[in-house]
Amino acid sequence: MKTIKTIQKTITLLSFSLLSVLSSANALASQADDIEITEPFAREVPPGAPASASFMTLENISDAPIKIISAQSAVSKVVELHTHTNDNGVMRMRQIPFIEVPANGMAFLKPGGLHIMLIEPINPIKQGQTVSVTLTFEDGSQKQVDMPVKSFMSKMGQMNGHSKVAE
Ligand SMILES: [Cu+2]
């Protein structure tokens, strides 16, 4: 009898600790839940253009940094995370392995800076359309971002001499 009681006690203790593990796991939001996105937009590109890009402001409401490790979209064959670097006065862009949003901070994806590159658009990306880009975070959680397509060719034209900057 004594042995059975001990076993029962052990099982009770085990289930309690299992419950507390489960509930603490539930209390942790996914990284996708901790990221708030404002002002997303994609860039209009003419038919036949090799690539477009999408931009947005990301806010991390958690107290740990969060990384976007990849992005997907049905509008283009390849989607890459990019940044721009100033190479002796020449702006160049390059692929990066992740985009980090600092703890309780923000990341700004904007022309000339960080952006999500939409390479080889399957159809022309035109002003007035809505484009969806899905972000994948380090913990595997995902967030779909629906964004309007905006044209800012005229703005680019005003950037004399720098209008060759490709996004
Ligand atoms: Cu790029």
Side-chain angles (χ1 to χ4, degrees):
M1 275 310 270
K2 210 175 180 185
T3 321
I4 289 173
K5 261 198 170 158
T6 311
I7 291 171
Q8 279 177 336
K9 211 174 172 185
T10 311
I11 289 172
T12 310
L13 278 172
L14 275 174
S15 43
F16 266 119
S17 53
L18 186 62
L19 269 177
S20 65
V21 166
L22 285 175
S23 56
S24 65
N26 283 337
L28 287 172
S30 73
Q31 291 179 334
D33 292 333
D34 285 337
I35 291 285
E36 286 175 4
I37 289 164
T38 47
E39 294 179 53
F41 67 98
R43 179 182 183 177
E44 181 181 61
V45 289
S52 179
S54 73
F55 310 94
M56 63 195 75
T57 299
L58 301 118
E59 184 174 6
N60 180 355
I61 58 166
S62 79
D63 47 18
I66 291 177
K67 285 176 187 167
I68 299 167
I69 55 163
S70 65
Q72 296 81 37
S73 179
V75 301
S76 69
K77 286 184 188 164
V78 180
V79 182
E80 293 180 354
L81 309 177
H82 275 206
T83 192
H84 276 92
T85 51
N86 190 326
D87 200 351
N88 287 322
V90 180
M91 292 298 278
R92 293 182 200 282
M93 61 175 182
R94 61 185 175 90
Q95 191 180 1
I96 47 174
F98 58 83
I99 290 173
E100 185 168 304
V101 191
N104 296 302
M106 300 175 91
F108 301 92
L109 276 58
K110 56 187 181 190
L114 293 165
H115 57 280
I116 294 170
M117 196 83 185
L118 306 169
I119 300 167
E120 288 188 66
I122 291 157
N123 293 304
I125 296 175
K126 286 184 183 162
Q127 192 167 6
Q129 288 181 335
T130 299
V131 158
S132 291
V133 175
T134 301
L135 310 176
T136 301
F137 300 93
E138 213 173 10
D139 69 351
S141 60
Q142 292 186 316
K143 197 176 197 75
Q144 184 181 321
V145 187
D146 298 324
M147 61 192 82
V149 176
K150 289 187 185 176
S151 163
F152 51 96
M153 293 307 278
S154 54
K155 214 174 176 183
M156 292 295 291
Q158 288 162 13
M159 294 166 64
N160 54 51
H162 291 286
S163 55
K164 288 266 167 61
V165 174
E167 223 70 54

